[in-house]
Amino acid sequence: MNEKQNRKRVDAQTKEIIIKSVTEDGAKVADIAGRYDVGPSTIHRWVKEHRESLTGLVSESEAEKIKAAYEKKIRALEEENEILRKAIHVFSDIER
């Protein structure tokens, strides 16, 4: 029963891909664990360490400013999309 487990070493690039898949792409840990033959608890630990490494990179007020700027940009793009939808409708009626 004292068999030594052969642990698979995961290179840094693959580790980054796994972390990105979970954090940015929203992939399920169980799916990624099966695909890369890595334990789910290991992936959870990597993701936790990754998130902790990001904490404190910007101040709370700076994060709020960035968030507000992105929300403003999103509203502007949504408005632009609505204008374009209306323009497409108007021009498609003219061609008929």
Side-chain angles (χ1 to χ4, degrees), residues 24-62:
E24 295 177 16
D25 301 338
K28 293 183 179 180
V29 171
D31 296 338
I32 298 298
R35 186 179 309 149
Y36 289 96
D37 194 28
V38 176
S41 60
T42 301
I43 295 174
H44 282 295
R45 188 181 76 243
W46 290 346
V47 169
K48 181 182 175 190
E49 289 170 355
H50 171 73
R51 287 186 176 141
E52 287 173 353
S53 73
L54 297 178
T55 303
L57 292 179
V58 293
S59 67
E60 193 74 29
S61 62
E62 185 66 25

Side-chain angles (χ1 to χ4, degrees), residues 6 11 15-16 30 57 66 77 79-80 88 90 93 95:
N6 290 330
D11 61 276
K15 184 176 175 180
E16 287 178 29
L57 292 179
I66 293 169
L77 290 171
E79 185 177 316
E80 183 179 326
I88 289 171
V90 168
D93 286 345
E95 291 179 1

